[in-house]
Amino acid sequence: MSETIRELTCIVCPIGCTLKVTMDDGKFVSVTGNTCPRGAKYAETEMTAPRRVLTSTVKVSGGHLPLCPVRTKGDIPKELLFEAMRAVNAVSIPAPVSIGQVVIEDLCGTGVPLIATRDIHSV
Amino acid sequence: MREIGAEMERELVIIGGGPAGLAAAAAAVENGVAAEDILILEREPELGGILLQCIHNGFGIHRFGEELSGPEYAARFAKKVAELGIPSLLSTMVLTLHRMEDGRKEITAVSSAHGLIRLKARAVVLAMGCRERGRGALNIPGTRPAGIYTAGAAQKFVNIKGFMPGRKVVILGSGDIGLIMARRMTLEGAKVEVVAELMPYSGGLSRNIQQCLRDFDIPLLLSHTITQIHGKERVTGVTISQVDEKRRPILGTEQYFACDTVLLSCGLIPENELTRQAGIPLDPVTGGAVVGENRETEMPGVFAAGNVLHVHDLVDFVSAEAELAGAGAARWLAEGDHAGVKLAVRPQGVIRYVVPQTVSLPADEDVRLFFRVGEVVEKAAVIVECGEKVLYKGMRPKLLPGEMESVTLKAETLSGLDSGQLTVRLEKR
Ligand SMILES: Cc1cc2nc3c(=O)[nH]c(=O)nc-3n(C[C@H](O)[C@H](O)[C@H](O)COP(=O)(O)OP(=O)(O)OC[C@H]3O[C@@H](n4cnc5c(N)ncnc54)[C@H](O)[C@@H]3O)c2cc1C
Ligand code: SF4
C-alpha cells in the first residue's frame, strides 16, 4: 500500500472546488471536496488521463474578418494540445463560415471535431 | 427611423450592445415594452461586446448548462434580440446623457451612418461595460519602450487581428484576462516566463490558475511586482521584486527576467464617464452607479447592468443582472416610480461592497445581494441583518476576492421591514 493524497482544482465549472484525491500505486481510490458528481469524474480522469477543451482561431479567406474562432467539440487528451495547435494553424477556410460548422472532422485522431464558434460573412 | 443628423425618440434606449445590453433589451420586450420602442446603441460595428474577443470556453455553464466560448454565448443573445425585432444602431458612440426638465433623458451620439444623433428617451439602460487599468494607472518606473500592452489589447491582437505581440512574455497581475492570455500565447508558441501578482492571492478564478498556468508550468509569483522596465525602443526585460505586507518592494529580492513583451492584467474599471457626467451618484468602491434591487440608479428611469455597474467574473451573472434592469425599466415605463421605502444595504468588515446598494420595500420578489471580500477568508458565516433581526445566515467554506459571492433574501423575510438599514458581514468560525 502506498496511498498518496493529491490536491487539485476542479476546472469543470467556475466554482473551482478544491479536490483531495486519494491515489494508491498510481490508481484512483477516492475523492473529497467536490460539490457535484462532475468533480469526481474530473478528478479520476485528471489523475489518470487528463483532457482539455482547446480553443483557438483558424485563418479565413475572403471573410469580413481574417480569423474565425474555433473550439474542440469535446475535450481531447491534454498531451495532444500542442500537436492539435499545429493542425489548427495549418488550416485556412473560405468564407462564409457559420457558427457550429465543422472545420476539422477528426482532430489529430482524437475522434473529436473542431468547430467554428462564430459566423463570418464573405466580402 | 429618420436619416442624417437625426432626431429620434424612444421609450427605452440601451447604451452598449454587449451581453448586458442585449439581455436587458430582450427582458424589456418580454416584460411588455414594444420592440420598436427600444433602441440599442453600440460603438463597435457588431453586437456582442468584449465576448467577441474572448474565444476561450467557460461561458454559460450556469445559464445554458454548456461550456460555450465567448462568441457563441454572445451569438445566442444577439439572435434573441434579432428574433424579437429589437432595432440597434452600430458604429454609434454615445457622447452625452442628461436629464431634461420634463424627466426624459437626452442622449447625443455620433455614428458613421447618421452623423450626430440626438435622441430623447423616457428610460435608459447603461450597459457600457468596463475598461482595463493601463500603465498610466499603475505607475511602473523605468523607460517607456514598445511592447507593453494591456492583456485585453493583446487578446484583441491575437484573437481578432491574428498577430502575436511578442514571443517572450512577462505578465503583471493575475486577473483572468492575463491568465487566459498566458495560455493562449503559450499555445501559439510564445514563452510566458512568469506571472507576477502584487497581492498575496490571485485576482483570477482558481480554475484559470490551474488550466492556464499550472497546465503549462508557468510560475505565479504572489506578493511580487515589476519594479523596473528595461529597454529603449522595445522592452528587453523587467526587474521583479517581492513586496512586504504593505506592498512595498523588499530590497535585495530583485530578479531579472528577459522578455520582449509585458502584459498588464491589473484590474478592470467600470466605464462610467457618461454616468458621472449625467450627475448619477457612483459607489466609490465598485466604480459603478448606486442602484436598487431592480438596478435603477438614483436618477429615476435610468438603469445599469453588467460590468458598467460592478466588475463580474462570469457573464452568466451579467445576463441575469441585465434581465433585472430590463424588466425594471419595463415596469418603470408602465408604472412609474416605486412607492414605499428604500433601505440602504451596507457592507461591513472584510466585505468590500454589496450590489444592490439599496432595497425597496415592500418587496414582491426575492432579492439577491452580490458582494466581494477584500481578503481570503476561510470558513465563515455570511450574515445579513436589519437592526437586531437576522435575515440570512449561511456558511461559506472559503471566500476569495477574485470570486463574486451572493446571498438570496426571501421576499417573506423582507416583508416585515420598513425602516433601518441592511448590513452584510462575515462571522469567522
Ligand atoms: C478577457 C476576459 C475573460 C473573461 N472570461 C470569462 C469566462 O471565462 N467566463 C465568463 O463567464 N465570463 C468571462 N468574462 C466576463 C464577461 O466577458 C463579461 O462579464 C461580459 O462581457 C460583460 O458584459 P457587458 O455587457 O457588461 O460589457 P461588454 O461586453 O464590455 O459590453 C459593453 C459594450 O458597450 C459598448 N460601449 C461602451 N461605451 C459605449 C458608448 N459610449 N457608446 C456606445 N457603446 C458603448 C462597448 O463597445 C461594448 O460592446 C471575461 C471577460 C474578459 C474581459
Ligand atoms: S466539483 Fe462540481 S461544483 Fe465543484 S468545480 Fe467541479 S464541477 Fe463545479
Side-chain angles (χ1 to χ4, degrees), chain B residues 262-301:
Chain B
V262 177
L263 300 189
L264 307 172
S265 181
C266 305
L268 300 163
I269 311 168
E271 183 96 74
N272 274 302
E273 274 62 44
L274 284 176
T275 324
R276 193 172 297 120
Q277 184 203 83
I280 296 170
L282 300 180
D283 178 328
V285 183
T286 57
V290 169
V291 292
E293 71 288 347
N294 56 1
R295 303 304 186 264
E296 186 176 10
T297 69
E298 300 276 289
M299 183 180 280

Side-chain angles (χ1 to χ4, degrees), chain A residues 9-19 33-42, chain B residues 61 207:
Chain A
T9 304
C10 179
I11 61 165
V12 178
C13 90
I15 297 174
C17 297
T18 305
L19 311 177
N34 53 313
T35 311
C36 78
R38 288 183 302 168
K41 190 162 166 276
Y42 167 77
Chain B
I61 300 166
R207 72 194 301 244

Side-chain angles (χ1 to χ4, degrees), chain A residues 11 52 56 71 89 118, chain B residues 46 72 184 188 207 215:
Chain A
I11 61 165
R52 295 288 183 267
S56 187
R71 69 172 165 96
N89 281 336
R118 66 160 294 160
Chain B
E46 62 185 326
E72 289 170 297
R184 182 79 183 109
E188 289 291 356
R207 72 194 301 244
D215 268 10

Side-chain angles (χ1 to χ4, degrees), chain B residues 16 19-20 42-43 49-51 56 59 94 128 177 307 313-315:
Chain B
E42 169 56 52
R43 172 171 73 184
I50 197 80
L51 287 185
H56 58 282
F59 298 84
V94 175
M128 292 92 75
I177 317 176
N307 279 347
D313 355 279
L314 292 178
V315 71

Side-chain angles (χ1 to χ4, degrees), chain B residues 237-259:
Chain B
V238 295
T239 304
I240 292 181
S241 307
Q242 198 178 336
V243 297
D244 63 17
E245 49 308 337
K246 293 211 170 105
R247 296 180 224 160
R248 289 171 312 206
I250 303 170
L251 264 160
T253 62
E254 299 83 3
Q255 293 178 66
Y256 179 79
F257 291 89
C259 62

Side-chain angles (χ1 to χ4, degrees), chain A residues 37-99:
Chain A
R38 288 183 302 168
K41 190 162 166 276
Y42 167 77
E44 184 163 0
T45 336
E46 186 67 10
M47 297 310 291
T48 47
R51 299 176 72 86
R52 295 288 183 267
V53 169
L54 175 67
T55 61
S56 187
T57 52
V58 295
K59 290 184 223 68
V60 180
S61 54
H64 81 288
L65 292 171
L67 298 175
C68 179
V70 292
R71 69 172 165 96
T72 53
K73 204 171 173 183
D75 44 25
I76 62 170
K78 187 173 141 189
E79 79 260 13
L80 289 181
L81 284 178
F82 285 95
E83 190 185 326
M85 277 300 289
R86 281 193 291 278
V88 169
N89 281 336
V91 270
S92 173
I93 54 172
V97 181
S98 47
I99 190 166

